[in-house]
Amino acid sequence: MEGMFKVTLEDEFKKNPELKAEDIEEIQTWIKTQPHLPTVPDLMIVLFLHACQWNLEDTKKTIDIYYTLKTEITEFFADRDPTSQEIKDIAKVNPIVMLPQSDPQGNRILWIRLNECDPKQYDFAASVKYNTMTTEVFQLENGTVPGLVIVNDCKHFNASVFWSTPMKLGSSYTRFTQEAASYPVKACHYINAHSFLEKCFSIIKPLFRSKVYEMFHMHSNMESLFKVIPREIVPKDYGGEGLTLEELNELNLQKLESYRQYFQDERTMRVDESKRVGKAPKSEFMDWTKGWWLSAMRKLSFK
């Protein structure tokens, strides 16, 4: 698995003065005391250290949750084949790409759009699968970057799409992004925002940690977004100077297909609960999500 990375440990030490060889060694020593965990490559440990701001205890917890959730949430992390019809279909409905260039701070931009479609064509689990495959391949090729900035085009996000998302999977994905991410998210920008989206955000706010929610920014026009993301790196169909989102999406699919062997091999990177010492990491919010969802259904009205 280590050989799938296009970067080296030497590259990471040059990029990150805070990175210490002894910290990698300590994490590897700890992993050996956790027989339920798979073998974790040094470069994966670097990604988690970076995402956790070099805090060793946070890194250990995040690694455990990451592989635990990858094992538990089979809807997202099983059968990840970039040549499958599932991925080809969701890519048409829900383009997800990493823009080729960084912003002035060195952050990379993950651009997501939901195309106009019959809600029956939108598969939330497949969308998450395509998303995680895209970010994983990006990290294999680039290692650590200062941060990730996410742009969501919400023009076609509506009530039908919202309610087509299974409650359990929605809350599981929220947990994964907040407690198990192997990269630091700097900001989430929502373009073509409308009143329905704002209403949704007022309802789902309790699902997010306050620091995470503060990263969310609504934009009613592109000029507002261009103040934080340079026009020259934005897709052409959004008033930028880059390739169109469809062109980038096609390139992304081709790239993922070249990593098909990685996704086949990665299926073994799961936990064995029969060997776990102690209890599995507990979610901070999963216990009350069901009650929240029922409350949200009562509060939201779609007119």
Side-chain angles (χ1 to χ4, degrees), residues 27-57:
I27 298 296
Q28 287 289 20
T29 299
W30 168 78
I31 289 172
K32 289 181 175 63
T33 70
Q34 307 295 314
H36 66 289
L37 289 177
T39 300
V40 182
D42 284 347
L43 283 163
M44 279 299 300
I45 291 174
V46 172
L47 293 175
F48 286 114
L49 281 166
H50 179 254
C52 295
Q53 299 181 312
W54 317 108
N55 183 296
L56 292 177
E57 293 309 309

Side-chain angles (χ1 to χ4, degrees), residues 44-244:
M44 279 299 300
I45 291 174
V46 172
L47 293 175
F48 286 114
L49 281 166
H50 179 254
C52 295
Q53 299 181 312
W54 317 108
N55 183 296
L56 292 177
E57 293 309 309
D58 287 349
T59 299
K60 294 173 185 177
K61 181 179 179 181
T62 301
I63 288 173
D64 197 347
I65 295 174
Y66 177 85
Y67 288 107
T68 297
L69 293 184
K70 273 198 156 187
T71 304
E72 291 179 354
I73 316 175
T74 55
E75 294 89 345
F76 299 161
F77 299 109
D79 303 318
R80 296 196 298 170
D81 182 351
T83 67
S84 69
Q85 196 62 45
E86 176 189 32
I87 295 301
K88 292 177 181 178
D89 288 345
I90 195 61
K92 292 177 183 177
V93 173
N94 193 193
I96 299 174
V97 306
M98 196 75 72
L99 299 190
Q101 295 172 278
S102 305
D103 72 8
Q105 289 73 44
N107 301 313
R108 296 298 293 268
I109 317 298
L110 182 68
W111 201 286
I112 303 171
R113 180 173 73 200
L114 178 62
N115 290 334
E116 187 173 13
C117 65
D118 182 330
K120 294 179 181 178
Q121 293 179 286
Y122 177 68
D123 183 335
F124 177 74
S127 175
V128 173
K129 189 177 289 191
Y130 186 34
N131 188 322
T132 58
M133 291 169 73
T134 297
T135 54
E136 281 182 38
V137 166
F138 172 79
Q139 290 193 297
L140 288 174
E141 295 198 334
N142 296 273
T144 61
V145 295
L148 196 65
V149 172
I150 301 172
V151 177
N152 274 284
D153 181 350
C154 303
K155 182 177 181 179
H156 300 297
F157 180 81
N158 55 38
S160 296
V161 172
F162 181 83
W163 292 117
S164 69
T165 301
M167 176 192 69
K168 181 180 178 182
L169 293 184
S171 57
S172 293
Y173 183 56
T174 302
R175 184 188 183 196
F176 184 80
T177 57
Q178 292 189 94
E179 299 181 23
S182 57
Y183 47 79
V185 176
K186 299 295 186 180
C188 295
H189 297 280
Y190 296 85
I191 59 175
N192 293 317
H194 43 73
S195 59
F196 170 73
L197 184 69
E198 293 173 357
K199 183 180 289 189
C200 285
F201 268 83
S202 70
I203 297 298
I204 67 174
K205 183 176 180 179
L207 282 177
F208 297 94
R209 297 170 178 169
S210 58
K211 289 184 178 179
V212 173
Y213 195 79
E214 290 170 2
M215 296 179 186
F216 297 166
H217 306 280
M218 302 285 185
H219 300 271
S220 58
N221 58 70
M222 289 304 299
E223 292 305 318
S224 173
L225 184 70
F226 291 149
K227 292 178 181 178
V228 288
I229 299 179
R231 183 188 297 268
E232 56 265 26
I233 72 172
V234 169
K236 187 182 301 181
D237 39 336
Y238 286 90
E241 300 175 12
L243 295 175
T244 67

